[in-house]
Amino acid sequence: MNSNTKPNILFIMSDDHAAHAMSCYSGRINQTPNIDRIAKEGIRFDNCFCTNSICAPSRATILTGKYNHLNGVRTLYEGFDGRQDHVAKMLQSGGYETGMIGKWHLGQGGFYDPTGFDYWNVLIGNWGQGEYHQPTFSEMGEDRVYDGYVTDVITDLSIDWLNRRDQDKPFFLMCHHKAPHRPWVTSAKYATLYEDVTIPEPETFHDDYSNRATAAKEATMRVESDLTLVDLKEETPEHLTPEQAKSWKYQRYMKDYLRCVASIDENVGRLLDYLDEMGIADNTIVIYTSDQGFFLGDHGWYDKRFMYEESLRMPFIVRYPKEIKPGEITEKMALNVDFAPTFLDYAGLPIPDEMQGHSLRPIFNSEQPEGWRTSMYYRYWMHRIDHNVFSHYGLRTYRYKLIYYYADGLGVPGTLDESNQPEWELFDLHQDPSELNNVYAQPEYAEIVKTLKDELHALQEEVKDDRYVLDVD
């Protein structure tokens, strides 16, 4: 395979964009016509999951094809050591021109700066998040403030780099948006979108966390009490009842969140139009995803971190006209650890043995790979730091989800040095898709629990996460 036949790879990733805020997945609360175009002209994954639902760890996994205990970024307080091998370096060595534009969020300075990219221009400040308006970027180590709204700026910079790149090489561009990350600051263009609309509240909006592990009740990410004035942009009206105030806050939160998504959708359209105008759409793999899921009032929450579905599930849609049939939908399990091997497969490059994921290319082509996974392993390390979410790991199959809150920081950076009582949760997703009924202790599930624990331990051994495993019966 020579460089002229290798496909370009355009990887567009937003931050905290839940799949259920994309109309190609549900259409319940908003419309995303440009993002939907990728799904309509390609494939939609309905079971794509992250292995650790928090920004930096997910990004490190996407780059390396490794779980966080091996790539060194288990929490937000551990920077990414760019001296290690990762997919951008491999593609660069394999003849690709590589670019990284937008949110990096894996540390800054020295070996924390992006490596393996011919060009990088990444957001800095605000803990690596950057700002929504007048954002500051580090362009190859030189700081610069750009005029405008961050989603527009990232797209402008991406198109500019695509115009300047070596046209004789295939490209790999990671276009990483800040939006719709908290605190959901909108552009002027979409500031009044949804003004006269009432966003429907999710069925689990008034979840009381009964019959669940203590972790659910203790988490501080509730719409009713934990959104701040910075999030809401104005004081809550004093005359409202507690239930009315919760609904008022939800409307403020969701409308700003969806306005940020509208800007992303517009800019995805700009990139798709650019590929068409340049005549390179047919030979370009376009991927749209988010670094993890997000709670949109589900269980009364915002944020992510938990292994519950809305947080665990990533949107993942892919268009590649040369191979992928339009309108494909798959239930096959994909993980963020699979992304790097997939890129290498399409580039005609070897997939290193140390990568722990698998190329998704056969699934893109509607094949049925023998022995494809039927379960996945998850681990959240940041015990009680930010939103008081207890550390946990677990197993998800197509029907069941087993979660173990080991509830200990284990001395890992970015964790609270306290222990809480360990607890188990088991959800029968066929009977209880909203995950409201913990059936772990019910006698009729005893054999299922035993089988799932055996599979959990086997997966921990397979992914080499057995150094800090703690569990009890």
Side-chain angles (χ1 to χ4, degrees):
M1 181 180 286
N2 61 50
S3 62
N4 293 326
T5 61
K6 291 183 178 182
N8 305 309
I9 303 171
L10 174 57
F11 181 79
I12 309 169
M13 183 164 69
S14 54
D15 192 310
D16 295 343
H17 189 181
H20 52 309
M22 292 168 53
S23 45
C24 59
Y25 275 97
S26 67
R28 184 177 69 85
I29 55 176
N30 67 325
Q31 296 298 308
T32 51
N34 294 298
I35 293 171
D36 292 358
R37 182 182 160 194
I38 301 172
K40 183 179 180 181
E41 298 173 0
I43 187 169
R44 186 188 83 199
F45 279 74
D46 285 357
N47 285 312
C48 182
F49 304 118
C50 60
T51 53
N52 183 357
S53 184
I54 194 70
C55 300
S58 180
R59 292 161 192 271
T61 292
I62 288 168
L63 279 171
T64 62
K66 299 178 185 178
Y67 288 80
N68 298 127
H69 56 281
L70 296 182
N71 65 43
V73 186
R74 296 164 293 182
T75 74
L76 295 179
Y77 294 78
E78 294 180 303
F80 181 76
D81 187 341
R83 294 171 296 187
Q84 65 184 299
D85 216 0
H86 60 77
V87 71
K89 288 183 178 181
M90 297 173 199
L91 290 172
Q92 186 183 52
S93 298
Y96 274 71
E97 182 132 356
T98 56
M100 165 67 225
I101 297 171
K103 181 174 175 179
W104 176 240
H105 203 222
L106 288 168
Q108 181 185 355
F111 53 75
Y112 294 132
D113 280 338
T115 58
F117 296 98
D118 295 294
Y119 176 80
W120 53 270
N121 197 352
V122 298
L123 286 162
I124 59 173
N126 190 22
W127 289 85
Q129 298 288 347
E131 302 294 342
Y132 272 101
H133 291 280
Q134 310 300 110
T136 302
F137 285 71
S138 175
E139 182 181 26
M140 307 292 284
E142 297 293 327
D143 295 357
R144 177 181 171 186
V145 178
Y146 288 84
D147 185 39
Y149 184 68
V150 67
T151 309
D152 300 328
V153 171
I154 289 169
T155 306
D156 291 343
L157 293 172
S158 295
I159 291 174
D160 179 65
W161 180 78
L162 288 169
N163 282 326
R164 292 186 291 105
R165 68 184 176 87
D166 185 344
Q167 303 293 324
D168 293 327
K169 290 183 177 182
F171 69 78
F172 172 64
L173 173 60
M174 304 190 89
C175 173
H176 287 189
H177 288 294
K178 167 187 170 65
H181 193 280
R182 189 183 184 197
W184 316 296
V185 179
T186 69
S187 68
K189 182 174 182 177
Y190 294 105
T192 60
L193 186 66
Y194 305 111
E195 195 170 66
D196 300 320
V197 174
T198 299
I199 308 299
E201 295 173 356
E203 293 181 1
T204 60
F205 188 56
H206 297 293
D207 188 355
D208 63 3
Y209 317 112
S210 59
N211 191 31
R212 304 251 281 293
T214 305
K217 188 171 291 187
E218 292 296 317
T220 54
M221 54 176 69
R222 299 191 190 190
V223 169
E224 64 198 65
S225 57
D226 299 315
L227 287 169
T228 69
L229 182 59
V230 173
D231 299 323
L232 298 170
K233 319 298 189 298
E234 65 178 82
E235 295 284 356
T236 306
E238 293 183 358
H239 65 278
L240 301 179
T241 66
E243 185 169 322
Q244 289 172 334
K246 181 178 179 180
S247 293
W248 181 89
K249 291 177 181 179
Y250 173 75
Q251 294 298 319
R252 295 287 301 178
Y253 156 46
M254 281 305 303
K255 289 180 181 181
D256 280 346
Y257 178 95
L258 295 176
R259 288 161 180 157
C260 292
V261 169
S263 290
I264 292 174
D265 186 69
E266 176 191 353
N267 280 282
V268 167
R270 289 178 61 201
L271 287 169
L272 295 178
D273 289 345
Y274 174 86
L275 298 177
D276 289 338
E277 292 163 6
M278 299 303 292
I280 57 175
D282 284 350
N283 196 42
T284 301
I285 300 167
V286 179
I287 294 169
Y288 183 84
T289 188
S290 176
D291 50 0
Q292 65 263 319
F294 210 69
F295 294 109
L296 304 180
D298 314 282
H299 302 289
W301 289 332
Y302 62 94
D303 209 71
K304 56 263 185 180
R305 302 166 195 269
F306 276 100
M307 199 183 169
Y308 297 143
E309 287 294 282
E310 297 86 358
S311 168
L312 178 70
R313 186 181 305 279
M314 303 169 72
F316 190 67
I317 54 177
V318 187
R319 185 188 76 178
Y320 183 37
K322 282 190 174 181
E323 285 196 17
I324 301 174
K325 296 177 183 177
E328 290 286 299
I329 298 172
T330 181
E331 297 288 330
K332 291 282 191 298
M333 280 193 192
L335 307 178
N336 54 355
V337 77
D338 296 326
F339 296 178
T342 304
F343 302 154
L344 295 174
D345 188 356
Y346 273 106
L349 298 172
I351 300 170
D353 291 340
E354 58 266 26
M355 282 193 174
Q356 297 176 292
H358 306 283
S359 173
L360 298 168
R361 189 173 186 175
I363 297 174
F364 291 173
N365 295 335
S366 303
E367 297 173 12
Q368 302 294 324
E370 185 176 349
W372 192 260
R373 71 170 65 89
T374 57
S375 62
M376 59 83 61
Y377 177 63
Y378 177 90
R379 185 162 191 169
Y380 176 76
W381 296 79
M382 292 180 62
H383 180 54
R384 296 188 59 190
I385 294 291
D386 302 331
H387 300 294
N388 202 40
V389 176
F390 293 5
S391 55
H392 57 283
Y393 56 71
L395 170 83
R396 189 200 191 280
T397 70
Y398 281 104
R399 175 160 183 175
Y400 298 106
K401 184 180 293 180
L402 181 68
I403 305 174
Y404 180 62
Y405 296 95
Y406 62 92
D408 193 308
L410 302 174
V412 173
T415 64
L416 188 67
D417 188 22
E418 288 184 14
S419 298
N420 293 82
Q421 181 65 36
E423 292 182 85
W424 287 94
E425 285 181 331
L426 172 66
F427 299 103
D428 184 336
L429 300 175
H430 285 187
Q431 302 296 325
D432 178 28
S434 296
E435 299 171 302
L436 297 174
N437 186 29
N438 176 18
V439 296
Y440 177 79
Q442 294 185 12
E444 60 266 36
Y445 285 92
E447 285 302 313
I448 291 169
V449 166
K450 183 179 184 303
T451 299
L452 291 175
K453 282 187 177 181
D454 288 343
E455 187 168 357
L456 171 62
H457 295 148
L459 274 183
Q460 287 176 321
E461 184 175 353
E462 179 183 322
V463 304
K464 303 176 183 177
D465 186 23
D466 49 11
R467 182 180 175 192
Y468 291 126
V469 169
L470 305 171
D471 78 34
V472 295
D473 293 329

